[in-house]
Amino acid sequence: METISILTIISIAFLGSFGHCVGMCGGIVIAYSSTKIKAEWSKQVQAIAHLLYSFGRITTYMILGALFGLVGGVVTFDNLTSGIFLVITGFMMVLVGLSLLGKIKFLTMLEHSCSKSSFYQKTFKSLLGSDSLFSFYLLGMLNGLLPCGFVYVFAITAASTGSAFWGAIVMLIFGLSTIPALFSLGFFVGLFKQSNLRDLFIKLASILVIAFGIYIAYIGYEYLTDPTKTILNCHI
């Protein structure tokens, strides 16, 4: 993976987490912070609980990244399919960026939450009532399964790598970059919920998503127009 791509993923995920992720997952973080975190716990134990939750999310993201990367490796077997796949990827990322800016409702269409399913509700209630630290990790894994347009951006990026390994790495980088926002929200419930910084971060993330989408689409265009271009094992 190119350094510029890694830095772009980190920037988009970090900035976007203070906007979209806080709004999308903030309710769950507030719920477990208010219910599962005990007042008598030391700051160190509370920090471990929050990190376990985040590592649970990241585990699910990496599994999804590996699956998407594997699928991407199957369909990107020549320049034509590579180009088409990357152009579609870039186009969808631009749509997500415009949606984050509030220009269109693309994310709203994608984010059909499964949180009302009986399986999710029963599992969530059970984990929320558990006192074990491991339950924070499982709760994070469960949260990682919720449909989220922002996660879809990076899942698509993972697919464009054409590799299960690099797909998992993309989602690992994404997940790690979202820890500061949700970790801070867990410690200071509601801090970013009403903050003006949230709007600033989400606008910056939107611009980066759009720019990265254009970049990915351009790579796809090169595959379609330059027959001599070598297909890489990792496109980003």
Side-chain angles (χ1 to χ4, degrees):
M1 290 177 65
E2 300 174 4
T3 302
I4 185 173
S5 296
I6 294 175
L7 293 177
T8 302
I9 292 172
I10 293 174
S11 300
I12 293 173
F14 177 77
L15 293 172
S17 64
F18 283 92
H20 186 74
C21 293
V22 166
M24 182 75 180
C25 303
I28 295 176
V29 175
I30 292 173
Y32 84 70
S33 297
S34 304
T35 305
K36 293 173 64 65
I37 301 292
K38 309 301 179 184
E40 62 270 18
W41 286 4
S42 66
K43 294 298 182 183
Q44 290 78 7
V45 174
Q46 292 185 38
I48 291 173
H50 290 300
L51 288 175
L52 284 172
Y53 170 79
S54 288
F55 291 151
R57 288 190 301 109
I58 293 172
T59 299
T60 299
Y61 294 158
M62 290 182 68
I63 293 173
L64 292 174
L67 292 174
F68 273 78
L70 189 62
V71 172
V74 172
V75 299
T76 57
F77 52 85
D78 61 17
N79 276 33
L80 177 61
T81 51
S82 293
I84 293 174
F85 188 80
L86 290 173
V87 168
I88 292 174
T89 297
F91 179 69
M92 290 188 68
M93 292 181 75
V94 170
L95 291 180
V96 169
L98 292 174
S99 184
L100 288 172
L101 284 173
K103 301 299 183 181
I104 58 177
K105 295 183 178 181
F106 183 66
L107 280 181
T108 303
M109 293 188 299
L110 288 179
E111 292 173 351
H112 293 295
S113 177
C114 63
S115 60
K116 292 184 178 180
S117 70
S118 58
F119 167 78
Y120 180 87
Q121 289 182 347
K122 290 179 180 178
T123 307
F124 182 80
K125 184 177 180 179
S126 175
L127 292 174
L128 203 61
S130 174
D131 292 329
S132 70
L133 283 176
F134 186 62
S135 66
F136 286 90
Y137 177 79
L138 295 177
L139 188 63
M141 289 192 69
L142 184 67
N143 183 34
L145 291 173
L146 288 177
C148 171
F150 206 55
V151 173
Y152 293 160
V153 171
F154 295 93
I156 292 170
T157 304
S160 73
T161 66
S163 161
F165 174 77
W166 285 114
I169 293 299
V170 166
M171 297 305 283
L172 171 63
I173 296 172
F174 162 69
L176 290 174
S177 301
T178 64
I179 287 180
L182 296 179
F183 182 86
S184 300
L185 179 63
F187 256 105
F188 311 104
V189 175
L191 178 63
F192 299 108
K193 193 73 173 176
Q194 302 298 329
S195 173
N196 289 330
L197 286 176
R198 180 188 170 191
D199 293 334
L200 174 62
F201 284 140
I202 203 167
K203 286 180 181 178
L204 291 174
S206 303
I207 294 172
L208 285 173
V209 169
I210 293 172
F212 195 46
I214 294 173
Y215 168 69
I216 292 296
Y218 176 74
I219 294 177
Y221 172 77
E222 287 189 321
Y223 276 110
L224 292 173
T225 58
D226 185 359
T228 65
K229 187 174 180 63
T230 303
I231 297 176
L232 304 178
N233 290 328
C234 181
H235 299 306
I236 63 174

